[in-house]
Amino acid sequence: MTDSLDQFATAKLAALEAQNLRRKLIDTDRGPEGMARREGHDLLSFCCNDYLNLSQHPAVKRAANDATEKLGAGAGASRLVTGNHSLFGRLEARLARLKGTEDACVFGSGYLANLGIIPALVGAGDLILADALSHACLLAGGQLSRATQIIFRHNELAHAAEILANRRAEFRHCLILTDGVFSMDGDLAPVTELAALARRHDAWLMTDDAHGIGVVGGGRGSSFLEGEKADVPLQMGTLSKAVGGYGGYLCASRPVIELVRSRARTLVYSTGLPAGVVAAADKAVEIIETEPERCALPLAKARRFTRGLNLPDAQSPIVPLILGPADVALRASEFLVAQGFLVTAIRPPTVPDGTARLRFTFCADHHDTDIDRLVATVRQHVLPMRVV
Ligand SMILES: *Cc1c(COP(=O)(O)O)cnc(C)c1O
């Protein structure tokens, strides 16, 4: 009966195509300083999350190669069986130090981390309160947990407080979920205020700092926006963005990390990361710890761009330019590619209907002259395309 399966897939694809929502994979070979080779063209990328260009850093690549030579290409089993090679502990200690926590646990990816952590902490009879623009994998982890999940309007503390006042007493535990730096909008969560709200209602705050580590709070992430560490007991993040490699993590107290190591199903039932991947992340986090001036560059570059276009000051290295319909965002992206700039269009369902956008990201190695050329091109040709 594969006929009906293929018919189903073909019809579904045609419907996506008609809505401009069909996705395609395009080979993109990235090189140093934001260069990316795509379909025979050398482009300058303004859409990588490799904010510190650490994926290309010679010391990071060397660490990966050395560890692979020494320990092999794969971990061979889950961490709880025999996959826990000796590099994990060093990386976890380094992450805990950077984030100001007692301990840390490394997962296969950020997505896997959220799918594992949340169900290990809450379940039926508990409440999850999540910001409306939380990353898809936070919400997926919440659904997997079977806790009651209520969404509060993006960054509206008053709405979150109202839900807690009305509903908190019905539930045993309560977990508040938010991105620290929002992945598609580049704005920041009010972390300190959310922490205070959580305290008042005996709730546990978990931040997804995928886009915070390495680039805000002096490189220590969104819990350190005001210098001192905010009262965030669960700091989750990924090793795949500013850290430049692959993997996910949770930084928390010793008992929480021990619980997660025993109960997070995506840790227990999934193979450990290869030694080369862990060694690369360890070297990259060491660079983040020791080179705060590098960590300040992506935001400074993003601000050069927003100031050049008279947009509100960038709050992170992510700058969205909302254009409206999906086809307009696609056309704008194609235009920029023709000019040598790689900037991808972000469309529904990743972002709400009618808010398709170009999502610009800025990296430490971008040259100011290239940013200025981008500003001029966007001002002249892209801003006039806006339908919002
Ligand atoms: C990218 C991202 C993730 C997923 O991390 P991966 O390591 O790529 O799986 C999780 N949360 C947010 C906010 C992200 O932007």
Side-chain angles (χ1 to χ4, degrees), residues 49 108-112 114 134-138 179-184 208-211 236-241 246-248 359:
N49 302 319
S109 75
Y111 203 115
L112 286 172
N114 280 333
S134 297
H135 192 268
C137 63
L138 274 175
D179 288 19
V181 175
F182 286 88
S183 56
M184 293 300 136
D208 178 335
D209 218 21
H211 297 277
M236 171 272 162
T238 173
L239 304 170
S240 64
K241 285 157 187 164
Y246 198 62
R359 176 177 173 275

Side-chain angles (χ1 to χ4, degrees), residues 62 130 147 154 181 191 196-197 200 209 213 232:
R62 207 177 315 119
H154 175 53
V181 175
V191 173
L197 184 67
R200 278 205 297 284
D209 218 21
I213 189 173
V232 183

Side-chain angles (χ1 to χ4, degrees), residues 13 56 112 123-124 135 144 161 206 210 253 350 386:
L13 281 172
Q56 305 286 338
L112 286 172
H135 192 268
L144 210 52
M206 174 165 162
S253 68
T350 307
R386 273 199 288 200

Side-chain angles (χ1 to χ4, degrees), residues 70-350:
K70 213 166 120 205
L71 296 171
S78 81
R79 293 186 59 190
L80 291 168
V81 182
T82 54
N84 198 49
H85 52 75
S86 53
L87 302 175
F88 275 110
R90 199 168 71 187
L91 173 59
E92 288 174 340
R94 201 186 286 289
L95 285 166
R97 189 161 68 224
L98 184 73
K99 294 288 196 169
T101 60
E102 286 177 349
D103 206 349
C105 180
V106 167
F107 288 80
S109 75
Y111 203 115
L112 286 172
N114 280 333
L115 292 193
I117 296 161
I118 298 169
L121 297 177
V122 292
D126 295 325
L127 174 65
I128 291 175
L129 196 57
D131 185 283
L133 295 188
S134 297
H135 192 268
C137 63
L138 274 175
L139 302 177
Q143 279 167 355
L144 210 52
S145 77
R146 297 175 218 235
T148 299
Q149 187 155 263
I150 303 181
I151 305 294
F152 64 93
R153 289 189 293 274
H154 175 53
N155 273 354
E156 282 192 27
L157 281 163
H159 190 214
E162 183 190 319
I163 295 167
L164 284 167
N166 292 336
R167 304 292 306 275
R168 173 70 185 89
E170 295 167 40
F171 300 92
R172 189 179 36 174
H173 302 305
C174 175
L175 182 64
I176 300 180
L177 302 178
T178 185
D179 288 19
V181 175
F182 286 88
S183 56
M184 293 300 136
D185 292 71
D187 55 342
L188 306 174
V191 173
T192 307
E193 292 83 354
L194 278 171
L197 184 67
R199 270 271 156 224
R200 278 205 297 284
H201 291 274
D202 185 25
W204 308 329
L205 177 60
M206 174 165 162
T207 53
D208 178 335
D209 218 21
H211 297 277
I213 189 173
V215 293
V216 300
R220 303 179 76 189
S222 65
S223 300
F224 296 87
L225 290 169
E226 293 169 17
E228 292 282 283
K229 178 171 171 264
D231 184 12
V232 183
L234 300 157
Q235 300 180 73
M236 171 272 162
T238 173
L239 304 170
S240 64
K241 285 157 187 164
V243 182
Y246 198 62
Y249 64 84
L250 174 69
C251 292
S253 68
R254 197 158 290 126
V256 168
I257 293 298
E258 281 302 322
L259 175 66
V260 161
R261 285 191 182 126
S262 294
R263 300 291 293 173
R265 298 173 68 85
T266 53
L267 185 88
V268 177
Y269 295 107
S270 188
T271 300
L273 284 171
V277 174
V278 176
D282 186 55
K283 178 53 74 176
V285 177
E286 182 189 327
I287 292 170
I288 290 171
E289 276 181 306
T290 53
E291 298 184 21
E293 59 297 341
R294 179 192 286 266
C295 297
L297 286 173
L299 179 57
K301 305 277 178 191
R303 289 206 167 146
R304 187 177 183 92
F305 177 77
T306 51
R307 285 179 187 160
L309 288 172
N310 296 319
L311 298 171
D313 259 355
Q315 293 176 269
S316 75
I318 303 166
V319 180
L321 191 61
I322 296 179
L323 296 173
D327 62 315
V328 175
L330 278 181
R331 259 192 295 126
S333 169
E334 282 162 15
F335 175 82
L336 288 177
V337 165
Q339 308 301 309
F341 299 116
L342 181 52
V343 184
T344 46
I346 308 283
R347 296 170 277 163
T350 307

